[in-house]
Amino acid sequence: MIKLTGVEKRYGRKKILNGVTFEAGKGQITCLIGINGAGKTTILQAVMGLTPYQKGEITIDGEKLSPKMMEKITYIPDAMTLLPKMRIKDAFQFMADFYQNWNEKRAKEILNFFKLQEDERISQLSKGNTAKVNLLMGLAMDADYILMDEPFSGIDIFSREQIADVFSSHLVEDRGVIITTHEISDIEHLIDKAVLLADGVVKKEFMTEQIREDEGKSVIDVMREVYQG
Amino acid sequence: MKLFGKLVNFEFRRFLPIYISLLTIVFLIESVGVLSYSFMMKSEITESIVKHGLSKEQFLQDHGFISIGNVLSGFMFTLPIVIAAVTIFIYILFIWYRDWLGENTFIYRLLMLPVKRIQLFFSKGVTILIFVFGLIAFQVAILPALQVILKLIIPVDYRLDLTTQGLIRSFYYLKFLLPENFIDFVINYGFGTAFVIVLFTMTLIERSYRFKGIFIAAFYGISALILVFSPYILQGIMQGYFYKNELLWMQFSIAIVLSIISVFFSNHLLNRKIRV
Amino acid sequence: MAIRFDKREAVYIQVIRHFKEQIAIGEMKSGQEIPSRRELAQQLKINPNTVQRAYKEMEEEGLIYTDGNKPSIITKETERIEAIRESLITEAIDQFVDRITSLQIPKEQVFELVQLKLNELGEEDEKNHD
């Protein structure tokens, strides 16, 4: 389980996270929802130690972040982080060089699934394919937890469908997934848990099936209540 | 440790294209220097012997022996050394900034590698050292080759050929970079390494605190500089109490202490303060 | 298989209802293998945990049956299938009656209208068959 307790982050005088507390379980898809600037990306970066926070605690299966943890948890940022000169196969080599949990077989499988070629250069990828390669790099690791930042933003409908298919596939089976989005409709039925953020705090945290069953509300109904009510 | 080697290899390969161009430029400029010197001297020989009918002895009395040693302190050898030094200096900063400011933000990947982050720091440092030593080795290696150019143009009777050691000794910058005395060698590269470490730390301060960091980094750098030269301030106060040698060792010790502090500080920044 | 999901109702309940309907109309036959939880999640584009939950409930209700590691199958007990059909019919009738009574329409008129509607559908069916 990934657990955040009272995480606070200031940048200058501005409070970006104002005591964020929530949990994301293994074998579940947890979705961080909020408008841009709600602190979604910052939360993922804080979990990965990519940005400092001043207060609170983040643990992964009860442990704090450490170098060896980078094989247990992986982060797929919104932007391409591989070098433009690399070909996809160079990127594979880079990952294989540094990660014991890199699963080459799965990497090739996802490559086929997304209909990408090994020889394509990172700099030549379309926006949709960039998102897919990003996703691939994370999914091909045998990691227990995968964090994805806006996997659906700014890409074409077909790429979105393909990426959405990943969430109901064996590629995320038994893993803990946290994804951020400001647009829930693509994945409403794919997620287990929704965490609604605004102004750097968690406004509501709920299991989607439970809210549908107990209160007869869709995720968007709850969002409406929280953000507009 | 295996991963550290891979990191160094990776960093090395990233700069390799520019590095190879740099070595090529060094070689080309120096070749042109030797060529033009050789042809100039050859025409001098022709002129004095054929036109003025001087003897070989008279020529040598006027001009001395023709040797590559005469151009090693000249512009065509100073220029490439300056170019190389400036390039490497810029790369000491660029080796970090490229990971943030490059077309894609590679720093994400680096910080998420399953290695202690201070290893990134060391791998980049070692890469810089490799480039420096590589450059020196390259310079030493091409000197005999450059001398061959001279040999092909100037007849043996007019020449003074130098051994590799002689070449190094008559090349001012190389004499500094490759001192014969081992202690001098350690001191020179100790200062060099400390310089790189402090510069890296300043970079990381800026990368952690951004705008505010520029001032902290500047303060850090200036403080380090003052500290390293503080023995001379002390010397002023004590009115020349210390030997020159003692001052140097004091400076050296300060540089080492500064390096150690900088490494610990950088480790802290990389683990707790860095932002992508 | 495709389901149009209601976003305000638990997805697992909708999956179970879909199975029941398919069984009632004979689209799914007694003893037939059903897709694995992963396959169904992929087909319906829903969370595998949700499918898991639906299968678990259906198993408890005796709707499907799993023998060891083999794929689950639709129950072979005909009474169960009959019961499912009946419960679906009862449910539909209940809903219908609920609406109708709230509109306060006389019984005779209701029978008449139902008769008329069913005849209409029957004729349309015949036309379609031609």
Side-chain angles (χ1 to χ4, degrees):
Chain A
M1 191 190 329
I2 297 177
K3 194 172 173 185
L4 283 84
T5 320
V7 176
E8 284 187 33
K9 179 186 170 65
R10 283 183 314 276
Y11 189 65
R13 289 227 179 114
K14 208 173 137 208
K15 279 207 167 178
I16 297 174
L17 302 181
N18 204 355
V20 169
T21 302
F22 75 91
E23 295 172 358
K26 211 181 154 193
Q28 285 186 348
I29 300 173
T30 302
C31 187
L32 300 184
I33 303 167
I35 54 159
N36 290 333
K40 295 169 300 204
T41 302
T42 309
I43 288 172
L44 299 190
Q45 290 183 348
V47 173
M48 297 308 286
L50 297 174
T51 197
Y53 54 95
Q54 284 81 31
K55 269 193 200 164
E57 194 181 51
I58 301 175
T59 57
I60 300 142
D61 288 340
E63 282 179 63
K64 289 203 164 185
L65 195 73
S66 65
K68 76 170 195 297
M69 205 64 96
M70 295 297 181
E71 303 232 314
K72 187 170 190 159
I73 181 166
T74 176
Y75 172 45
I76 302 165
D78 190 11
M80 177 50 79
T81 59
L82 295 163
L83 296 175
K85 266 197 235 163
M86 283 180 168
R87 290 175 193 281
I88 290 179
K89 62 179 175 195
D90 302 329
F92 281 13
Q93 189 56 49
F94 177 82
M95 300 302 272
D97 275 348
F98 287 103
Y99 293 91
Q100 285 180 349
N101 67 342
W102 175 252
N103 188 332
E104 187 83 15
K105 211 179 113 208
R106 187 182 294 144
K108 296 227 161 104
E109 180 198 336
I110 305 170
L111 202 67
N112 286 331
F113 177 78
F114 283 144
K115 300 185 175 62
L116 295 164
Q117 302 298 323
E118 272 200 324
D119 286 323
E120 283 180 82
R121 262 189 214 285
I122 297 297
S123 56
Q124 314 269 295
L125 294 172
S126 68
K127 214 164 174 209
N129 282 349
T130 300
K132 288 177 204 167
V133 169
N134 263 343
L135 203 60
L136 187 161
M137 290 299 153
L139 291 171
M141 277 205 255
D142 286 328
D144 290 346
Y145 296 99
I146 306 176
L147 316 183
M148 300 181 200
D149 198 9
E150 297 274 359
F152 299 102
S153 77
I155 54 173
D156 61 282
I157 175 88
F158 301 110
S159 299
R160 274 154 77 137
E161 278 181 1
Q162 270 190 318
I163 290 174
D165 280 347
V166 165
F167 292 97
S168 51
S169 75
H170 66 286
L171 295 171
V172 297
E173 187 157 30
D174 300 328
R175 309 211 217 184
V177 178
I178 301 183
I179 99 167
T180 70
T181 186
H182 59 275
E183 231 294 291
I184 187 73
S185 58
D186 278 327
I187 50 168
E188 186 160 359
H189 289 138
L190 290 168
I191 61 174
D192 291 277
K193 188 180 205 175
V195 177
L196 304 188
L197 290 161
D199 311 321
V201 286
V202 174
K203 296 282 184 186
K204 196 173 172 80
E205 179 184 4
F206 61 94
M207 303 300 287
T208 54
E209 275 287 83
Q210 205 174 344
I211 209 100
R212 286 189 281 255
E213 184 164 21
D214 296 351
E215 301 180 29
K217 287 175 187 160
S218 70
V219 179
I220 291 165
D221 291 337
V222 182
M223 284 169 67
R224 210 172 280 128
E225 282 170 18
V226 169
Y227 292 124
Q228 297 181 341
Chain B
M1 204 56 211
K2 215 177 86 194
L3 289 184
F4 183 73
K6 283 177 180 169
L7 271 178
V8 172
N9 175 42
F10 183 76
E11 287 291 348
F12 182 80
R13 287 210 320 253
R14 285 174 80 189
F15 190 56
L16 203 55
I18 303 176
Y19 189 60
I20 289 172
S21 325
L22 182 64
L23 297 184
T24 314
I25 289 170
V26 168
F27 182 73
L28 286 180
I29 297 178
E30 293 182 354
S31 306
V32 170
V34 174
L35 271 173
S36 65
Y37 171 69
S38 305
F39 282 120
M40 196 178 79
M41 293 320 286
K42 178 150 191 181
S43 63
E44 290 265 332
I45 296 172
T46 329
E47 197 167 318
S48 45
I49 293 176
V50 177
K51 268 197 188 162
H52 305 292
L54 294 176
S55 72
K56 188 182 87 186
E57 285 69 28
Q58 280 171 308
F59 175 87
L60 289 177
Q61 220 158 38
D62 290 350
H63 294 89
F65 278 105
I66 297 165
S67 160
I68 193 170
N70 299 340
V71 280
L72 290 179
S73 315
F75 177 72
M76 296 301 263
F77 275 78
T78 307
L79 179 68
I81 296 286
V82 170
I83 292 175
V86 169
T87 309
I88 291 204
F89 175 75
I90 292 171
Y91 197 64
I92 292 174
L93 303 174
F94 188 58
I95 200 172
W96 285 103
Y97 280 102
R98 69 183 302 179
D99 290 329
W100 271 273
L101 309 177
E103 200 181 324
N104 296 336
T105 327
F106 196 64
I107 192 67
Y108 280 85
R109 282 254 98 75
L110 288 182
L111 292 177
M112 291 193 294
L113 289 176
V115 298
K116 288 208 172 78
R117 288 179 178 174
I118 196 67
Q119 288 203 26
L120 303 175
F121 183 97
F122 288 131
S123 70
K124 286 178 190 289
V126 167
T127 308
I128 297 287
L129 278 183
I130 291 174
F131 285 138
V132 171
F133 284 124
L135 200 68
I136 295 167
F138 178 75
Q139 179 65 77
V140 171
I142 61 172
L143 284 177
L146 291 168
Q147 189 166 243
V148 169
I149 297 176
L150 186 96
K151 283 182 186 170
L152 289 174
I153 297 167
I154 307 292
V156 66
D157 299 342
Y158 295 88
R159 265 180 6 224
L160 179 70
D161 294 340
L162 297 172
T163 59
T164 307
Q165 259 198 334
L167 286 167
I168 294 170
R169 235 173 278 147
S170 42
F171 196 167
Y172 171 76
Y173 299 102
L174 270 187
K175 214 165 58 188
F176 173 76
L177 291 167
L178 283 176
E180 281 167 60
N181 186 334
F182 180 68
I183 298 286
D184 290 341
F185 183 88
V186 170
I187 287 179
N188 287 356
Y189 285 94
F191 278 120
T193 309
F195 176 72
V196 172
I197 288 174
V198 170
L199 224 50
F200 274 11
T201 307
M202 288 167 68
T203 309
L204 290 177
I205 293 172
E206 191 280 328
R207 285 291 84 193
S208 297
Y209 299 101
R210 300 292 156 100
F211 185 66
K212 211 167 64 184
I214 297 173
F215 299 101
I216 308 173
F219 176 75
Y220 191 82
I222 293 167
S223 310
L225 215 61
I226 293 173
L227 275 174
V228 168
F229 284 99
S230 62
Y232 285 98
I233 302 168
L234 194 65
Q235 178 77 320
I237 297 166
M238 307 281 278
Q239 290 157 353
Y241 176 81
F242 299 107
Y243 290 116
K244 228 173 164 191
N245 218 357
E246 287 175 327
L247 286 173
L248 185 67
W249 281 112
M250 280 157 74
Q251 281 190 295
F252 190 65
S253 317
I254 292 169
I256 288 178
V257 172
L258 266 175
S259 303
I260 293 168
I261 292 171
S262 295
V263 167
F264 276 98
F265 189 29
S266 295
N267 185 45
H268 171 74
L269 291 173
L270 281 167
N271 285 331
R272 298 245 172 269
K273 300 288 176 201
I274 206 77
R275 62 186 79 226
V276 290
Chain C
M1 196 179 319
I3 308 179
R4 278 193 65 86
F5 287 107
D6 178 350
K7 294 189 170 191
R8 294 196 170 82
E9 194 182 6
V11 175
Y12 85 96
I13 291 175
Q14 299 183 62
V15 171
I16 296 173
R17 187 182 311 119
H18 176 79
F19 267 84
K20 285 181 174 172
E21 282 168 3
Q22 296 290 303
I23 292 168
I25 61 169
E27 195 63 38
M28 282 185 188
K29 303 233 158 37
S30 156
Q32 184 184 329
E33 270 182 25
I34 60 168
S36 74
R37 125 192 137 103
R38 181 67 54 193
E39 283 163 0
L40 191 67
Q42 281 264 280
Q43 278 173 23
L44 300 178
K45 301 188 191 306
I46 58 174
N47 189 305
N49 292 333
T50 307
V51 180
Q52 174 77 7
R53 172 116 189 246
Y55 279 13
K56 193 167 155 266
E57 300 263 332
M58 290 197 289
E59 188 115 36
E60 277 166 14
E61 279 185 50
L63 212 65
I64 58 169
Y65 171 76
T66 319
D67 181 15
N69 280 333
K70 282 188 225 156
S72 302
I73 55 167
I74 308 283
T75 182
K76 287 177 181 165
E77 297 170 37
T78 37
E79 309 96 72
R80 275 268 2 120
I81 291 178
E82 201 44 51
I84 290 162
R85 183 174 299 148
E86 266 164 34
S87 75
L88 277 177
I89 294 168
T90 320
E91 207 176 298
I93 297 284
D94 283 351
Q95 274 174 12
F96 174 74
V97 170
D98 233 33
R99 297 271 295 155
I100 283 298
T101 40
S102 69
L103 292 174
Q104 299 184 323
I105 308 172
K107 259 189 211 164
E108 293 71 27
Q109 200 183 343
V110 173
F111 290 141
E112 209 173 295
L113 286 170
V114 170
Q115 197 84 49
L116 212 68
K117 189 80 191 167
L118 287 175
N119 283 346
E120 242 173 60
L121 287 174
E123 276 167 33
E124 260 175 41
D125 259 7
E126 270 168 44
K127 260 189 225 156
N128 290 343
H129 281 290
D130 286 344

